[in-house]
PDB file of all heavy atoms in Angstrom:
ATOM      1  N   THR A   2       0.835  -1.202   0.000  1.00 98.00           N
ATOM      2  CA  THR A   2       0.000   0.000   0.000  1.00 98.00           C
ATOM      3  C   THR A   2       0.869   1.251   0.000  1.00 98.00           C
ATOM      4  O   THR A   2       0.621   2.200  -0.751  1.00 98.00           O
ATOM      5  CB  THR A   2      -0.942   0.013   1.220  1.00 98.00           C
ATOM      6  OG1 THR A   2      -1.789  -1.133   1.170  1.00 98.00           O
ATOM      7  CG2 THR A   2      -1.805   1.267   1.222  1.00 98.00           C
ATOM      8  N   ARG A   3       1.881   1.278   0.842  1.00 98.00           N
ATOM      9  CA  ARG A   3       2.777   2.432   0.900  1.00 98.00           C
ATOM     10  C   ARG A   3       3.481   2.655  -0.440  1.00 98.00           C
ATOM     11  O   ARG A   3       3.604   3.791  -0.911  1.00 98.00           O
ATOM     12  CB  ARG A   3       3.815   2.241   2.006  1.00 98.00           C
ATOM     13  CG  ARG A   3       3.270   2.440   3.421  1.00 98.00           C
ATOM     14  CD  ARG A   3       4.363   2.193   4.455  1.00 98.00           C
ATOM     15  NE  ARG A   3       3.940   2.562   5.787  1.00 98.00           N
ATOM     16  CZ  ARG A   3       4.051   3.772   6.301  1.00 98.00           C
ATOM     17  NH1 ARG A   3       4.590   4.739   5.574  1.00 98.00           N
ATOM     18  NH2 ARG A   3       3.654   4.036   7.530  1.00 98.00           N
ATOM     19  N   ARG A   4       3.940   1.590  -1.071  1.00 98.00           N
ATOM     20  CA  ARG A   4       4.603   1.723  -2.374  1.00 98.00           C
ATOM     21  C   ARG A   4       3.663   2.311  -3.412  1.00 98.00           C
ATOM     22  O   ARG A   4       4.058   3.170  -4.222  1.00 98.00           O
ATOM     23  CB  ARG A   4       5.118   0.365  -2.848  1.00 98.00           C
ATOM     24  CG  ARG A   4       6.323  -0.151  -2.094  1.00 98.00           C
ATOM     25  CD  ARG A   4       6.719  -1.535  -2.567  1.00 98.00           C
ATOM     26  NE  ARG A   4       7.206  -1.537  -3.947  1.00 98.00           N
ATOM     27  CZ  ARG A   4       7.569  -2.641  -4.596  1.00 98.00           C
ATOM     28  NH1 ARG A   4       7.483  -3.825  -3.993  1.00 98.00           N
ATOM     29  NH2 ARG A   4       8.012  -2.577  -5.847  1.00 98.00           N
ATOM     30  N   LEU A   5       2.426   1.861  -3.396  1.00 98.00           N
ATOM     31  CA  LEU A   5       1.446   2.340  -4.368  1.00 98.00           C
ATOM     32  C   LEU A   5       1.045   3.793  -4.099  1.00 98.00           C
ATOM     33  O   LEU A   5       0.913   4.601  -5.028  1.00 98.00           O
ATOM     34  CB  LEU A   5       0.213   1.440  -4.345  1.00 98.00           C
ATOM     35  CG  LEU A   5       0.438  -0.007  -4.802  1.00 98.00           C
ATOM     36  CD1 LEU A   5      -0.762  -0.867  -4.439  1.00 98.00           C
ATOM     37  CD2 LEU A   5       0.722  -0.089  -6.293  1.00 98.00           C
ATOM     38  N   VAL A   6       0.853   4.134  -2.827  1.00 98.00           N
ATOM     39  CA  VAL A   6       0.429   5.495  -2.484  1.00 98.00           C
ATOM     40  C   VAL A   6       1.495   6.512  -2.873  1.00 98.00           C
ATOM     41  O   VAL A   6       1.171   7.635  -3.296  1.00 98.00           O
ATOM     42  CB  VAL A   6       0.109   5.592  -0.973  1.00 98.00           C
ATOM     43  CG1 VAL A   6      -0.067   7.044  -0.542  1.00 98.00           C
ATOM     44  CG2 VAL A   6      -1.155   4.807  -0.647  1.00 98.00           C
ATOM     45  N   ARG A   7       2.762   6.144  -2.760  1.00 98.00           N
ATOM     46  CA  ARG A   7       3.847   7.096  -3.032  1.00 98.00           C
ATOM     47  C   ARG A   7       3.895   7.544  -4.490  1.00 98.00           C
ATOM     48  O   ARG A   7       4.529   8.547  -4.809  1.00 98.00           O
ATOM     49  CB  ARG A   7       5.192   6.499  -2.627  1.00 98.00           C
ATOM     50  CG  ARG A   7       5.384   6.391  -1.110  1.00 98.00           C
ATOM     51  CD  ARG A   7       6.810   6.083  -0.751  1.00 98.00           C
ATOM     52  NE  ARG A   7       6.958   5.881   0.668  1.00 98.00           N
ATOM     53  CZ  ARG A   7       7.080   4.685   1.251  1.00 98.00           C
ATOM     54  NH1 ARG A   7       7.095   3.585   0.498  1.00 98.00           N
ATOM     55  NH2 ARG A   7       7.196   4.581   2.552  1.00 98.00           N
ATOM     56  N   VAL A   8       3.230   6.808  -5.373  1.00 98.00           N
ATOM     57  CA  VAL A   8       3.142   7.235  -6.774  1.00 98.00           C
ATOM     58  C   VAL A   8       1.877   8.071  -6.924  1.00 98.00           C
ATOM     59  O   VAL A   8       0.776   7.581  -6.719  1.00 98.00           O
ATOM     60  CB  VAL A   8       3.105   6.027  -7.728  1.00 98.00           C
ATOM     61  CG1 VAL A   8       2.966   6.508  -9.173  1.00 98.00           C
ATOM     62  CG2 VAL A   8       4.356   5.186  -7.570  1.00 98.00           C
ATOM     63  N   ARG A   9       2.044   9.323  -7.277  1.00 98.00           N
ATOM     64  CA  ARG A   9       0.897  10.231  -7.404  1.00 98.00           C
ATOM     65  C   ARG A   9       0.193   9.966  -8.730  1.00 98.00           C
ATOM     66  O   ARG A   9       0.550  10.528  -9.775  1.00 98.00           O
ATOM     67  CB  ARG A   9       1.367  11.677  -7.303  1.00 98.00           C
ATOM     68  CG  ARG A   9       0.247  12.684  -7.322  1.00 98.00           C
ATOM     69  CD  ARG A   9       0.712  14.077  -6.971  1.00 98.00           C
ATOM     70  NE  ARG A   9       1.255  14.157  -5.616  1.00 98.00           N
ATOM     71  CZ  ARG A   9       1.491  15.289  -4.960  1.00 98.00           C
ATOM     72  NH1 ARG A   9       1.238  16.445  -5.543  1.00 98.00           N
ATOM     73  NH2 ARG A   9       1.984  15.269  -3.747  1.00 98.00           N
ATOM     74  N   SER A  10      -0.825   9.143  -8.674  1.00 98.00           N
ATOM     75  CA  SER A  10      -1.496   8.698  -9.897  1.00 98.00           C
ATOM     76  C   SER A  10      -2.876   9.333 -10.029  1.00 98.00           C
ATOM     77  O   SER A  10      -3.873   8.646 -10.257  1.00 98.00           O
ATOM     78  CB  SER A  10      -1.613   7.167  -9.911  1.00 98.00           C
ATOM     79  OG  SER A  10      -2.289   6.707  -8.758  1.00 98.00           O
ATOM     80  N   CYS A  11      -2.924  10.653  -9.903  1.00 98.00           N
ATOM     81  CA  CYS A  11      -4.199  11.360 -10.049  1.00 98.00           C
ATOM     82  C   CYS A  11      -4.780  11.101 -11.438  1.00 98.00           C
ATOM     83  O   CYS A  11      -4.056  11.046 -12.438  1.00 98.00           O
ATOM     84  CB  CYS A  11      -4.007  12.861  -9.833  1.00 98.00           C
ATOM     85  SG  CYS A  11      -3.354  13.294  -8.206  1.00 98.00           S
ATOM     86  N   SER A  12      -6.088  10.965 -11.489  1.00 97.00           N
ATOM     87  CA  SER A  12      -6.757  10.642 -12.744  1.00 97.00           C
ATOM     88  C   SER A  12      -6.485  11.697 -13.805  1.00 97.00           C
ATOM     89  O   SER A  12      -6.451  12.889 -13.534  1.00 97.00           O
ATOM     90  CB  SER A  12      -8.266  10.528 -12.510  1.00 97.00           C
ATOM     91  OG  SER A  12      -8.898   9.915 -13.605  1.00 97.00           O
ATOM     92  N   ARG A  13      -6.260  11.221 -15.016  1.00 96.00           N
ATOM     93  CA  ARG A  13      -5.985  12.076 -16.169  1.00 96.00           C
ATOM     94  C   ARG A  13      -4.652  12.814 -16.046  1.00 96.00           C
ATOM     95  O   ARG A  13      -4.542  13.978 -16.446  1.00 96.00           O
ATOM     96  CB  ARG A  13      -7.132  13.071 -16.394  1.00 96.00           C
ATOM     97  CG  ARG A  13      -8.483  12.403 -16.661  1.00 96.00           C
ATOM     98  CD  ARG A  13      -8.661  12.210 -18.143  1.00 96.00           C
ATOM     99  NE  ARG A  13      -9.772  11.299 -18.432  1.00 96.00           N
ATOM    100  CZ  ARG A  13     -10.702  11.557 -19.335  1.00 96.00           C
ATOM    101  NH1 ARG A  13     -10.675  12.675 -20.005  1.00 96.00           N
ATOM    102  NH2 ARG A  13     -11.644  10.682 -19.590  1.00 96.00           N
ATOM    103  N   THR A  14      -3.632  12.166 -15.453  1.00 97.00           N
ATOM    104  CA  THR A  14      -2.283  12.737 -15.368  1.00 97.00           C
ATOM    105  C   THR A  14      -1.272  11.669 -15.765  1.00 97.00           C
ATOM    106  O   THR A  14      -1.577  10.457 -15.723  1.00 97.00           O
ATOM    107  CB  THR A  14      -1.954  13.221 -13.942  1.00 97.00           C
ATOM    108  OG1 THR A  14      -1.776  12.083 -13.074  1.00 97.00           O
ATOM    109  CG2 THR A  14      -3.049  14.130 -13.402  1.00 97.00           C
ATOM    110  N   PRO A  15      -0.042  12.073 -16.118  1.00 96.00           N
ATOM    111  CA  PRO A  15       0.997  11.092 -16.447  1.00 96.00           C
ATOM    112  C   PRO A  15       1.322  10.154 -15.291  1.00 96.00           C
ATOM    113  O   PRO A  15       1.916   9.086 -15.500  1.00 96.00           O
ATOM    114  CB  PRO A  15       2.206  11.972 -16.805  1.00 96.00           C
ATOM    115  CG  PRO A  15       1.606  13.270 -17.259  1.00 96.00           C
ATOM    116  CD  PRO A  15       0.398  13.459 -16.394  1.00 96.00           C
ATOM    117  N   GLY A  16       0.944  10.516 -14.064  1.00 97.00           N
ATOM    118  CA  GLY A  16       1.197   9.654 -12.928  1.00 97.00           C
ATOM    119  C   GLY A  16       0.537   8.293 -13.042  1.00 97.00           C
ATOM    120  O   GLY A  16       1.001   7.308 -12.449  1.00 97.00           O
ATOM    121  N   GLU A  17      -0.539   8.207 -13.804  1.00 98.00           N
ATOM    122  CA  GLU A  17      -1.190   6.914 -14.007  1.00 98.00           C
ATOM    123  C   GLU A  17      -0.261   5.951 -14.746  1.00 98.00           C
ATOM    124  O   GLU A  17      -0.244   4.749 -14.443  1.00 98.00           O
ATOM    125  CB  GLU A  17      -2.495   7.103 -14.775  1.00 98.00           C
ATOM    126  CG  GLU A  17      -3.593   7.767 -13.958  1.00 98.00           C
ATOM    127  CD  GLU A  17      -4.870   7.941 -14.748  1.00 98.00           C
ATOM    128  OE1 GLU A  17      -4.952   8.924 -15.520  1.00 98.00           O
ATOM    129  OE2 GLU A  17      -5.783   7.106 -14.611  1.00 98.00           O
ATOM    130  N   ARG A  18       0.511   6.460 -15.687  1.00 97.00           N
ATOM    131  CA  ARG A  18       1.473   5.602 -16.382  1.00 97.00           C
ATOM    132  C   ARG A  18       2.559   5.128 -15.428  1.00 97.00           C
ATOM    133  O   ARG A  18       3.010   3.976 -15.494  1.00 97.00           O
ATOM    134  CB  ARG A  18       2.100   6.359 -17.557  1.00 97.00           C
ATOM    135  CG  ARG A  18       1.225   6.482 -18.789  1.00 97.00           C
ATOM    136  CD  ARG A  18       0.921   5.106 -19.393  1.00 97.00           C
ATOM    137  NE  ARG A  18       2.128   4.316 -19.624  1.00 97.00           N
ATOM    138  CZ  ARG A  18       2.860   4.386 -20.727  1.00 97.00           C
ATOM    139  NH1 ARG A  18       2.504   5.203 -21.712  1.00 97.00           N
ATOM    140  NH2 ARG A  18       3.928   3.625 -20.876  1.00 97.00           N
ATOM    141  N   GLN A  19       3.001   6.003 -14.533  1.00 98.00           N
ATOM    142  CA  GLN A  19       4.016   5.606 -13.565  1.00 98.00           C
ATOM    143  C   GLN A  19       3.496   4.491 -12.656  1.00 98.00           C
ATOM    144  O   GLN A  19       4.231   3.559 -12.305  1.00 98.00           O
ATOM    145  CB  GLN A  19       4.426   6.816 -12.730  1.00 98.00           C
ATOM    146  CG  GLN A  19       5.072   7.933 -13.526  1.00 98.00           C
ATOM    147  CD  GLN A  19       5.294   9.181 -12.689  1.00 98.00           C
ATOM    148  OE1 GLN A  19       5.413   9.121 -11.466  1.00 98.00           O
ATOM    149  NE2 GLN A  19       5.350  10.330 -13.342  1.00 98.00           N
ATOM    150  N   LEU A  20       2.232   4.596 -12.280  1.00 98.00           N
ATOM    151  CA  LEU A  20       1.662   3.572 -11.405  1.00 98.00           C
ATOM    152  C   LEU A  20       1.504   2.242 -12.137  1.00 98.00           C
ATOM    153  O   LEU A  20       1.759   1.180 -11.565  1.00 98.00           O
ATOM    154  CB  LEU A  20       0.320   4.046 -10.851  1.00 98.00           C
ATOM    155  CG  LEU A  20      -0.189   3.417  -9.542  1.00 98.00           C
ATOM    156  CD1 LEU A  20      -0.679   2.003  -9.721  1.00 98.00           C
ATOM    157  CD2 LEU A  20       0.872   3.499  -8.462  1.00 98.00           C
ATOM    158  N   SER A  21       1.113   2.293 -13.411  1.00 98.00           N
ATOM    159  CA  SER A  21       0.990   1.043 -14.161  1.00 98.00           C
ATOM    160  C   SER A  21       2.357   0.372 -14.308  1.00 98.00           C
ATOM    161  O   SER A  21       2.464  -0.859 -14.241  1.00 98.00           O
ATOM    162  CB  SER A  21       0.356   1.286 -15.535  1.00 98.00           C
ATOM    163  OG  SER A  21       1.162   2.113 -16.350  1.00 98.00           O
ATOM    164  N   ASP A  22       3.414   1.164 -14.484  1.00 98.00           N
ATOM    165  CA  ASP A  22       4.770   0.600 -14.548  1.00 98.00           C
ATOM    166  C   ASP A  22       5.132  -0.077 -13.237  1.00 98.00           C
ATOM    167  O   ASP A  22       5.739  -1.165 -13.223  1.00 98.00           O
ATOM    168  CB  ASP A  22       5.782   1.698 -14.862  1.00 98.00           C
ATOM    169  CG  ASP A  22       5.659   2.247 -16.280  1.00 98.00           C
ATOM    170  OD1 ASP A  22       5.025   1.573 -17.123  1.00 98.00           O
ATOM    171  OD2 ASP A  22       6.178   3.348 -16.548  1.00 98.00           O
ATOM    172  N   LEU A  23       4.778   0.548 -12.109  1.00 98.00           N
ATOM    173  CA  LEU A  23       5.057  -0.052 -10.811  1.00 98.00           C
ATOM    174  C   LEU A  23       4.293  -1.361 -10.637  1.00 98.00           C
ATOM    175  O   LEU A  23       4.840  -2.348 -10.126  1.00 98.00           O
ATOM    176  CB  LEU A  23       4.690   0.922  -9.686  1.00 98.00           C
ATOM    177  CG  LEU A  23       4.787   0.371  -8.256  1.00 98.00           C
ATOM    178  CD1 LEU A  23       6.207  -0.106  -7.950  1.00 98.00           C
ATOM    179  CD2 LEU A  23       4.333   1.413  -7.243  1.00 98.00           C
ATOM    180  N   LEU A  24       3.050  -1.393 -11.063  1.00 98.00           N
ATOM    181  CA  LEU A  24       2.264  -2.616 -10.939  1.00 98.00           C
ATOM    182  C   LEU A  24       2.887  -3.763 -11.724  1.00 98.00           C
ATOM    183  O   LEU A  24       2.915  -4.905 -11.249  1.00 98.00           O
ATOM    184  CB  LEU A  24       0.834  -2.366 -11.418  1.00 98.00           C
ATOM    185  CG  LEU A  24      -0.055  -1.569 -10.457  1.00 98.00           C
ATOM    186  CD1 LEU A  24      -1.347  -1.157 -11.159  1.00 98.00           C
ATOM    187  CD2 LEU A  24      -0.362  -2.360  -9.204  1.00 98.00           C
ATOM    188  N   VAL A  25       3.403  -3.468 -12.904  1.00 98.00           N
ATOM    189  CA  VAL A  25       4.061  -4.508 -13.701  1.00 98.00           C
ATOM    190  C   VAL A  25       5.292  -5.028 -12.970  1.00 98.00           C
ATOM    191  O   VAL A  25       5.554  -6.241 -12.937  1.00 98.00           O
ATOM    192  CB  VAL A  25       4.423  -3.972 -15.098  1.00 98.00           C
ATOM    193  CG1 VAL A  25       5.318  -4.958 -15.843  1.00 98.00           C
ATOM    194  CG2 VAL A  25       3.160  -3.701 -15.909  1.00 98.00           C
ATOM    195  N   ARG A  26       6.052  -4.124 -12.340  1.00 98.00           N
ATOM    196  CA  ARG A  26       7.237  -4.553 -11.586  1.00 98.00           C
ATOM    197  C   ARG A  26       6.837  -5.437 -10.409  1.00 98.00           C
ATOM    198  O   ARG A  26       7.503  -6.448 -10.123  1.00 98.00           O
ATOM    199  CB  ARG A  26       8.031  -3.343 -11.092  1.00 98.00           C
ATOM    200  CG  ARG A  26       8.690  -2.535 -12.199  1.00 98.00           C
ATOM    201  CD  ARG A  26       9.777  -1.631 -11.667  1.00 98.00           C
ATOM    202  NE  ARG A  26       9.292  -0.663 -10.702  1.00 98.00           N
ATOM    203  CZ  ARG A  26       8.824   0.541 -11.024  1.00 98.00           C
ATOM    204  NH1 ARG A  26       8.754   0.905 -12.308  1.00 98.00           N
ATOM    205  NH2 ARG A  26       8.422   1.388 -10.098  1.00 98.00           N
TER     206      ARG A  26
END
């Protein structure tokens, strides 16, 4: 949860791509 929260993945922002990359890892 902490790892996921630290990525700012606000809707309709490039942060969503960063979070998807983390999920794949």
